[in-house]
Amino acid sequence: MPRHVSVQTEVTKMRDLGKEIYEKTMKDGLLSIQVTVKENEKVGRLNIEKVEGIVEQEPIEWTRLTAPNGGINVLPILRTDGEEQYVLTYKPQVSVGSWTYELIGGYGKPGETSEDTAKRELREETGFEAGKLTIISPAICNFPGRLAWYDTTFSAEELTYLGKTTTEAEERPMKIIALKPVEVMSILQNHQVLSALSTATLYEYMMGRYFEPTEEYRKFLRR
C-alpha cells in the first residue's frame, strides 16, 4: 500500500508540473531557450552539430542533427472505382534492423520550397506526379531531442504515373505498396510502421476520414 501511495503521489506531482508548464507556455509563449552552435560537420544533406544552450537560465550541452533545407513527407492517395488506397514505401531500416512501412519522404535541396521537394520526392520514389498537394501537418519534428528540423507532410491526389526520374530510388531495396484503409489500420496496430511521424500522420488522416469523433472530443475542440 505505501508503494501505491508513493506512485500516486509522484503521478500527481508530474501532472501538476505539466499543468504549470502548460499554463506558463500559454501565457508567456515558448519557454526561454537560447542555443549556440559550437561545431558543425556536414554529412550529405544533414549537419551534425554540437550545441551549447541555456534553458530557463541553466547551461546545457548536446548533439543534434539538422537538415538545413527541411524535410517533407507525402501520403499519395489512389482512387479507383470509388475506393481509396494509400501508397507507402516498404523498406529496410538498418539502424533498427527491420523492414518498415513509411510515408514517401526526403530532404529539401537549396532553393526548393516544401511543395517542390514533395513533388520531386514523390516522382523519384514512386513515379507519380500529383495534380493536387494538400498540407496535412505543417510542422512536425520526428525526434525533438536530437533532430533539429521540422517536416511538412502532404497528401497527394489526382495521381498520374510518369515513371521514376532517377536511378537513386531504384537502387534502394525499397518496395512501393498501395494499401486499403483496413490494411493501413492493420499495419499500424501490428506495429509495422516504426517511424513516429508516419504513424502519427496515418492515424491522424485515417481517424479524420473514417471515424466519427466522440461528443467528449467535440467538446474539447470547442474549448
Side-chain angles (χ1 to χ4, degrees):
M1 177 65 82
R3 183 180 179 185
H4 175 75
V5 172
S6 176
V7 171
Q8 185 60 47
T9 300
E10 292 305 311
V11 169
T12 302
K13 287 180 181 178
M14 287 188 284
R15 186 183 298 122
D16 291 343
L17 177 61
K19 182 179 180 182
E20 178 185 338
I21 292 175
Y22 174 80
E23 290 177 348
K24 178 177 176 58
T25 304
M26 292 298 100
K27 180 181 178 181
D28 302 330
L30 294 176
L31 301 181
S32 174
I33 300 177
Q34 300 173 7
V35 175
T36 303
V37 178
K38 305 302 291 185
E39 296 181 29
N40 186 4
E41 177 184 352
K42 189 170 181 61
V43 180
R45 295 182 192 170
L46 302 179
N47 293 339
I48 301 174
E49 297 179 343
K50 290 187 177 180
V51 175
E52 291 181 352
I54 299 176
V55 179
E56 293 296 283
Q57 301 181 345
E58 293 293 328
I60 59 173
E61 296 183 356
W62 73 101
T63 301
R64 69 184 187 184
L65 199 60
T66 69
N69 300 296
I72 61 88
N73 289 271
V74 184
L75 176 61
I77 303 168
L78 286 170
R79 290 188 174 89
T80 307
D81 298 327
E83 184 179 63
E84 287 189 349
Q85 289 185 304
Y86 302 94
V87 180
L88 302 176
T89 63
Y90 186 63
K91 55 189 175 183
Q93 291 292 11
V94 178
S95 58
V96 292
S98 177
W99 284 73
T100 178
Y101 292 92
E102 290 184 2
L103 300 175
I104 282 76
Y107 305 111
K109 293 181 178 180
E112 283 187 335
T113 64
S114 57
E115 289 85 355
D116 293 335
T117 306
K119 291 176 181 178
R120 175 178 55 77
E121 290 289 345
L122 178 64
R123 181 76 185 278
E124 287 179 358
E125 293 195 8
T126 70
F128 284 115
E129 182 176 79
K132 179 182 178 183
L133 284 175
T134 305
I135 292 178
I136 299 176
S137 300
I140 293 180
C141 183
N142 211 12
F143 181 20
R146 293 294 179 189
L147 306 183
W149 75 85
Y150 292 95
D151 285 349
T152 302
T153 305
F154 297 87
S155 64
E157 302 173 81
E158 301 172 9
L159 301 178
T160 303
Y161 187 77
L162 300 176
K164 296 178 180 179
T165 55
T166 68
T167 58
E168 178 187 358
E170 295 171 353
E171 291 172 354
R172 303 174 195 162
M174 177 175 68
K175 305 177 188 299
I176 304 300
I177 300 177
L179 299 175
K180 298 177 182 178
V182 66
E183 294 170 329
V184 173
M185 292 305 296
S186 176
I187 63 171
L188 286 168
Q189 291 169 358
N190 286 292
H191 309 292
Q192 293 174 284
V193 185
L194 300 182
S195 161
L197 189 150
S198 294
T199 299
T201 299
L202 289 170
Y203 266 123
E204 179 182 359
Y205 190 83
M206 299 294 290
M207 296 297 281
R209 290 282 293 172
Y210 299 104
F211 296 90
E212 187 72 17
T214 64
E215 183 57 32
E216 183 179 2
Y217 186 60
R218 287 198 184 98
K219 289 180 180 177
F220 173 78
L221 293 177
R222 290 196 292 264
R223 286 169 53 184

